[in-house]
Each structure stands twice: as structure tokens, then as C-alpha cells.
Amino acid sequence: DADVTQTPRNRITKTGKRIMLECSQTKGHDRMYWYRQDPGLGLRLIYYSFDVKDINKGEISDGYSVSRQAQAKFSLSLESAIPNQTALYFCATSDKRDSKNIQYFGAGTRLSVL
Amino acid sequence: KQEVTQIPAALSVPEGENLVLNCSFTDSAIYNLQWFRQDPGKGLTSLLLIQSSQREQTSGRLNASLDKSSGRSTLYIAASQPGDSATYLCAVRGRAASGGSYIPTFGRGTSLIVHP
């Protein structure tokens, strides 16, 4: 089983729909992150959370919201999906005890908004 | 704001060549720099991480160097193989706005194809 699991792996939705992408981890890490990747671009940070009660906006948080339901779960929501949110979304985790802050990534969710 | 640039954006080489992938960053006050590999449709796999106090790291046929003062890192791949075909991403960590935390800034990646 993967340490960082994202569901669904693929999703097609229509403009205006609310959707949720889920991430769960078995690594026992306290820090979790959501990124999006567009073709030819690097990863851009959407939101991050350093523990259950800590939520921080990243570089491109507009149009997104998150929920840290438990240490192991971090969900990303698109309140009203629009076509330019079509992208590959990655969840990542890291351990606050790791001085190098190495991140571990899920396999990604490919989202298409029509 | 940290900006990370990777050159070239794409590279196609015959098997056996030695390769150099470049990563440059604008703010030299970094904590560490990490190289990742991404296969099509897959997540990121960490290859090498260099702390700001280090000059290089090696793993098998891979060698990553860091010159913080000039804002550059290189990933050297020796004797390339078709299995090395992937996108290689560089990520630079500085201090997050919230303080005491290190959030990486990613480059756009170099897409590598090694043909037999």
C-alpha cells in the first residue's frame, strides 16, 4: 500500500460543480501539502497544514479550500470548478522532526473541468 | 520571492551519454535543494537532497552539486539509460512566511528522453 494515497486518481467534472479531492497518509507525518501541476510548469503550492489546527494559504489558494479532518487526512475542495483548474493535483507529507523537511508525494489526481 | 529556473526544458540524447541538467535560483538564502524524478502520470520520487552547507551529493550514477553563492545546482547523470527517461524537477527550500518552516519552490522541470 502507498504511504500517501490520493483519491480519486482521475476525475472529470463540469464547470460550477463542487468537488473534493482526498489525501490520506500512513506515515504518521504532521505536515501535509496540496500542489497543482500544469503542463510544462512546476508544482505550485495551494495550501499546507503543519498540524490538525493549522491551515495556511499557499501561492495559489484562490478558488480552493481545504480541511484537515485528522492528522492522516487532508482534503482539497473546489467550491465551484472552472476549466482553468484542470490540472494534476498532488498531495505531499513531511515530518516536522525531519530537519531536512523531505516531502513524500502521492501519485496524483488528474482533474479535468469541462 | 524565490524563482527557480531549469535549463534545458527538454533534452533528447542517445543512450550512454553523460548529461548535465541545470537549476538556478534567485535567492541564495536557501535551506536545501532537492532533485526529483517524475514519470509520466506519476508522483514525484526524491533523488538527491543537498543541504545549504553541502557542495554535492551522490547516489549511484547521479551526482548533484550546489553553488549557493551563484544560485546554481547541477544534476549530473552518468552513462544515461533509456530507463532514465522522465521529467527531472528541482525544488529549493527557503523559509516560509509563517516562520520556522521550509516550503519548497519548484522549477518547471527538464523533460529527458534517452533513446536506445
Side-chain angles (χ1 to χ4, degrees):
Chain A
D1 288 342
D3 294 323
V4 183
T5 302
Q6 291 184 233
T7 56
R9 291 296 315 281
N10 293 281
R11 178 74 183 269
I12 300 173
T13 191
K14 294 183 179 180
T15 297
K17 294 291 187 181
R18 182 181 188 276
I19 66 164
M20 180 182 290
L21 309 184
E22 309 215 19
C23 178
S24 63
Q25 51 115 347
T26 58
K27 300 187 75 67
H29 289 169
D30 38 15
R31 298 177 174 179
M32 299 187 74
Y33 311 78
W34 275 105
Y35 292 90
R36 69 175 277 175
Q37 184 180 37
D38 297 278
L41 299 180
L43 275 68
R44 291 183 291 167
L45 184 64
I46 306 172
Y47 271 95
Y48 61 101
S49 168
F50 286 149
D51 64 42
V52 175
K53 297 182 180 179
D54 177 79
I55 301 289
N56 303 282
K57 292 183 177 180
E59 180 185 355
I60 52 164
S61 59
D62 288 349
Y64 301 94
S65 63
V66 291
S67 173
R68 186 80 184 268
Q69 302 96 321
Q71 187 194 40
K73 295 183 182 296
F74 192 36
S75 301
L76 176 72
S77 294
L78 284 67
E79 298 301 327
S80 179
I82 56 177
N84 75 4
Q85 291 178 313
T86 294
L88 186 56
Y89 289 84
F90 287 105
C91 173
T93 74
S94 67
D95 186 346
K96 70 177 180 182
R97 296 166 296 178
D98 176 6
S99 61
K100 298 177 181 177
N101 199 38
I102 293 175
Q103 290 179 312
Y104 298 84
F105 285 81
T109 295
R110 186 169 297 280
L111 174 67
S112 297
V113 183
L114 305 179
Chain B
K1 177 186 173 185
Q2 180 73 270
E3 293 183 6
V4 179
T5 302
Q6 290 188 245
I7 295 173
L11 188 59
S12 179
V13 300
E15 182 176 5
E17 279 203 6
N18 300 323
L19 309 173
V20 176
L21 308 182
N22 297 290
C23 172
S24 61
F25 46 95
T26 54
D27 185 352
S28 61
I30 68 170
Y31 182 65
N32 61 33
L33 183 146
Q34 191 167 6
W35 283 93
F36 291 89
R37 170 186 173 133
Q38 183 179 23
D39 293 285
K42 301 285 182 65
L44 277 68
T45 301
S46 178
L47 296 174
L48 291 164
L49 181 144
I50 311 176
Q51 293 294 104
S52 62
S53 58
Q54 298 175 323
R55 299 282 297 183
E56 65 178 338
Q57 285 286 321
T58 298
S59 176
R61 294 183 294 109
L62 304 179
N63 175 277
S65 67
L66 174 64
D67 184 342
K68 215 171 57 163
S69 61
S70 65
R72 290 188 299 180
S73 175
T74 60
L75 179 66
Y76 177 81
I77 304 176
S80 59
Q81 303 171 356
D84 294 330
S85 299
T87 296
Y88 291 81
L89 292 160
C90 161
V92 176
R93 284 187 181 79
R95 191 171 293 275
S98 60
S101 310
Y102 302 96
I103 304 294
T105 300
F106 284 81
R108 296 186 176 192
T110 293
S111 177
L112 172 65
I113 297 176
V114 181
H115 48 87

